[in-house]
Amino acid sequence: MLTVYNCIVHEHDLRLVALAALICGISSFSAVNLLRHVDRSTHRNRYAWLMIAATSTGFGIWATHFIAMIAFSPGIPNAYNTELSVLSLAAAVLLTAAGMWIATLRGGIDHYLVGGAVLGAGIGTMHYTGMAAFEVQGRIVWDHLLVGISLVAGIALAALSLFVVLRRPSTLGTIGAAVLLTLAICTLHFIAMGAVSIYPDSSIAISQYTIEPMSQAFAAAAASLVILVLSAAALWIDLRFRRHQAEAERMHGLANAAVEGLIVCDGTRIVSANDSIAALSGIASATLNTMVLGDLFGERAAAAMAEADGQARETELRSHDGTSIPVELIARTIDYCGKPHGVVAVRDIRERKKAEQEIIRLAHYDPLTGLANRRSFNSRLEAEIAAAGRGGKGGQLALMLLDLDRFKEVNDLFGHAAGDAMLQKVAQCASAKLRHGQMLARLGGDEFAIIAPNLPDPQAAGRIAEAVLSAMREENRLSPGGGLVSASIGIALYPLDADEQASLVSHADTALYRAKAEGKDTYRYFEASMGAEARDRRVMEHDLRQAVARGEFRLVYQPQKEISTGRMIGFEALLRWHHPEHGDISPAVFIPVAEDSGAIIQIGEWVLSAACEEAARWKNPLMVAVNVSAVQLHNPNFSRKVHEVLLRSGLAPGRLELEITETALVKDMPRALAALRQIKALGVRVAMDDFGTGYSSLSNLRAFPFDKIKIDGSFIKSVDRNGQVAAIVRAVLGLGRGLGLPVLAEGVETLGELRFLDAEDCEIGQGFYLGRPGPIEAFGELTGVASEKEDDGAGRSRGGGSILMLEPAAALRSA
């Protein structure tokens, strides 16, 4: 190594050596800085940064060599070959580029070291090619050992330099790598110079095409200037990059705090993406930063986002596995790293879309059965009618309304959960019998509808209805409970029965009502006569609701007497309706209509109030009996209404008797029992009306707090001549005596019937033979309220009229 030392100290201008070392250091620092940019760069600008770094480094190696060569003073004429000088510069640049490319191709120690070795080889190639360009008037002899040492030292230090700068990038690593690269260049050069021995020889001539050392000095100066410019540019770029990196990291940190995905883009090129968008798309942030908006959202959405107008747009995000995710995008412009960039907020709207779909489903489908609801049914029916009207193919459109029979009993007996399960089973049975294009809808409660378009003939609708009913019968047969629910179906056809939607629905409903009235568990087609009946019924319902206000109702009273003594005990108040157009209408006609329509509540309250007010005016404290319908009894406010009427009229509760039929009891026995107990607590008497015609009569007598039994008039008719009927009446009378309940016989119309009842010790009778129903004024002597009679000037009187009144005891004696 003494040879190298002597070469540097005694054969070089130390000032130029120092300059060469400075140029080498600046070049090396610039090289490692630029190499870091190459490593961080994307594919698009990687090669540009690579060429800049390779040029700066290659020029630095070349300038260091030739400045050091100018500092070398052999003491004999010398010059430099132009072609080899240029070739040495090209070799330095190209091999440096190759080494940096290998080192940054992929992360890994092997790539770092191999790339650095190639860079070291480039330094050696440049040096020895440059030495080949050195022409001197003498012979050059090489010490091959030192040549080998120079190459090994240069390659090893260069490899170590790239390893340090790329292994863990940092400021300290950058400085260390620059020092190592400087040592690699300088060590190789000066060891190699120490390996040179020059022997003067005047016979060796210098070529005329060589460059003078001074000219070579200018070339080295120019190369140094390039290095300085590139180094300054690299320093500026590095500072700018660090500033932008710091700003980007700050922005990225803020972006990661957002729940929504955020993308910063330059035009359509993504430059930054937060963790939320990476998690949403399943694509790593580093990969996202190499993509464009079109890769994620499609070209049309990307072009719209480039406008950055702040408006929300819905599109789909393409995830890493190719699936599409519905998202909402909002783009705005921000200042990012000193220039305008677009920022796109990406909101995951899968849950919102799911909620919207659920809202749509709830708006159009029944949540219990999953069938179309009334809204969907109306829309579909309207569309099918319009299509059938336009088609003109002659096909039939059938509308079938389906209603479950006795469904309320299932709810009452087994609870609403069982009722819901039954509705779901009905939906499954009916759906299984429909073909493509036919629709089953649940309209509400236990009401269903079937729309069957394009039927070949009207009978096809009946076949569908029968298939549905058969499926339900089979399901009932197989179910553990067995046969609890059946259905009735009404059918109307378009255009045969109606030519518009409302009429078609109305006619199907009319047919359904007829199916229920004719035995249930069946279907009926609409007939024109049904329409007239339905219209008459609807008119009657309307008139009934107005009858109380118009004063069209009146009460008549029928006496109730003790059979053995003839003592008057009270009256039954009977309702009569005089229609302004149709005259008197039988209670047997209008009472069922009032009950079905709900008008019986208002009418029943009027009857109760009018009867109590009338009875309160009687001087004789006779009983007044008022019939109560099932609808009234099951009204939760019924007992309160009775109490209010008693208080308002002033009638003693013990003089009021409410007559309840057995049919009214079985509809909801717990509620009926609660209502009757509340009424009994008021002091009001309760009678079982029409005994023997209802259900479970004996159990009802035991369960309910009755004060009287009324035998239905159908058992009294011809009781004196029909042995079977006589036996039934005797049994009822014996039952009443055994229970301690008085028995009233209705419908006593002949003397023979009266004699039989008296012989069997029946306490009370009521019927035409004992007194026909009439206005209360006709019974003034019995009530203690004198009838108003005025002479009409012709010797006649007007008042209550003539009503047959026979005393039972007198009739029996006269017989």
Side-chain angles (χ1 to χ4, degrees), residues 573-641:
L574 303 174
L575 180 64
R576 297 293 183 264
W577 181 24
H578 183 80
H579 194 278
E581 297 180 5
H582 305 294
D584 291 332
I585 299 177
S586 169
V589 174
F590 73 79
I591 290 297
V593 176
E595 289 182 334
D596 290 342
S597 65
I600 194 66
I601 297 291
Q602 180 189 18
I603 296 171
E605 290 179 4
W606 179 85
V607 170
L608 181 65
S609 179
C612 289
E613 290 175 359
E614 178 60 44
R617 291 194 291 267
W618 302 340
K619 293 182 179 179
N620 296 332
L622 301 175
M623 296 284 299
V624 60
V626 178
N627 286 283
V628 174
S629 73
V631 179
Q632 288 177 275
L633 181 63
H634 295 112
N635 188 324
N637 297 322
F638 178 63
S639 60
R640 182 172 59 83
K641 290 290 183 182

Side-chain angles (χ1 to χ4, degrees), residues 455-508:
L455 297 180
D457 52 64
Q459 289 71 31
R463 291 192 290 271
I464 295 173
E466 183 57 37
V468 171
L469 294 177
S470 297
M472 293 181 60
R473 294 184 195 116
E474 181 65 15
E475 180 64 31
N476 285 335
R477 186 182 69 80
L478 297 176
S479 64
L484 289 175
V485 172
S486 60
S488 301
I489 300 177
I491 304 173
L493 301 171
Y494 174 90
L496 185 64
D497 296 327
D499 57 2
E500 55 93 19
Q501 182 172 346
S503 298
L504 190 66
V505 174
S506 176
H507 290 170

Side-chain angles (χ1 to χ4, degrees), residues 99 249 375 442 462 486 512 750 762:
E249 289 177 354
R375 174 183 291 183
R442 183 187 177 205
S486 60
L512 172 63
T750 66
C762 179

Side-chain angles (χ1 to χ4, degrees), residues 34-111:
L34 291 172
L35 182 62
R36 290 178 58 187
H37 284 284
V38 173
D39 189 45
R40 288 190 297 253
S41 300
T42 61
H43 180 74
R44 290 176 175 80
N45 55 16
R46 182 185 188 84
Y47 294 107
W49 280 109
L50 182 63
M51 291 312 300
I52 293 173
T55 301
S56 173
T57 307
F59 271 75
I61 297 169
W62 190 85
T64 299
H65 172 80
F66 281 102
I67 292 173
M69 287 300 296
I70 294 170
F72 176 61
S73 301
I76 56 177
N78 58 85
Y80 296 93
N81 183 279
T82 305
E83 290 81 2
L84 290 177
S85 295
V86 173
L87 180 61
S88 66
L89 176 60
V93 172
L94 293 177
L95 288 175
T96 298
M100 290 182 171
W101 179 77
I102 293 172
T104 57
L105 182 63
R106 278 200 309 268
I109 297 176
D110 53 345
H111 281 78

Side-chain angles (χ1 to χ4, degrees), residues 202-284:
S202 59
S203 64
I204 298 175
I206 298 175
S207 173
Q208 60 179 343
Y209 300 107
T210 57
I211 303 174
E212 293 292 331
M214 190 56 66
S215 299
Q216 191 75 350
F218 281 112
S224 300
L225 180 61
V226 170
I227 294 168
L228 291 173
V229 170
L230 290 177
S231 298
L235 180 60
W236 178 79
I237 290 172
D238 186 64
L239 293 174
R240 181 172 176 269
F241 176 80
R242 290 175 182 273
R243 187 175 68 252
H244 288 177
Q245 186 180 37
E247 182 178 352
E249 289 177 354
R250 182 177 60 84
M251 293 290 291
H252 192 70
L254 292 174
N256 281 334
V259 176
E260 296 179 345
L262 291 177
I263 297 174
V264 179
C265 51
D266 185 3
T268 61
R269 183 176 63 85
I270 298 174
V271 297
S272 180
N274 71 347
D275 293 344
S276 295
I277 188 64
L280 179 62
S281 64
I283 303 173

Side-chain angles (χ1 to χ4, degrees), residues 586-723:
S586 169
V589 174
F590 73 79
I591 290 297
V593 176
E595 289 182 334
D596 290 342
S597 65
I600 194 66
I601 297 291
Q602 180 189 18
I603 296 171
E605 290 179 4
W606 179 85
V607 170
L608 181 65
S609 179
C612 289
E613 290 175 359
E614 178 60 44
R617 291 194 291 267
W618 302 340
K619 293 182 179 179
N620 296 332
L622 301 175
M623 296 284 299
V624 60
V626 178
N627 286 283
V628 174
S629 73
V631 179
Q632 288 177 275
L633 181 63
H634 295 112
N635 188 324
N637 297 322
F638 178 63
S639 60
R640 182 172 59 83
K641 290 290 183 182
V642 173
H643 191 202
E644 290 175 356
V645 168
L646 291 174
L647 292 176
R648 186 168 57 248
S649 64
L651 180 68
R655 292 179 57 196
L656 175 63
E657 184 174 87
L658 300 181
E659 297 184 355
I660 312 294
T661 63
E662 291 177 295
T663 304
L665 301 178
V666 298
K667 286 190 174 182
D668 191 340
M669 297 183 69
R671 182 178 295 181
L673 179 59
L676 292 182
R677 285 175 176 169
Q678 292 171 354
I679 291 169
K680 288 284 292 180
L682 298 175
V684 177
R685 298 171 62 83
V686 180
M688 176 180 280
D689 197 11
D690 299 335
F691 182 79
T693 62
Y695 306 97
S696 305
S697 299
L698 298 180
S699 63
N700 289 337
L701 285 174
R702 181 174 60 86
F704 291 93
F706 292 110
D707 299 295
K708 183 186 293 183
I709 300 174
K710 293 185 71 175
I711 305 177
D712 187 71
S714 61
F715 294 102
I716 304 303
K717 187 176 181 62
S718 303
V719 69
D720 56 329
R721 300 191 301 272
N722 189 317

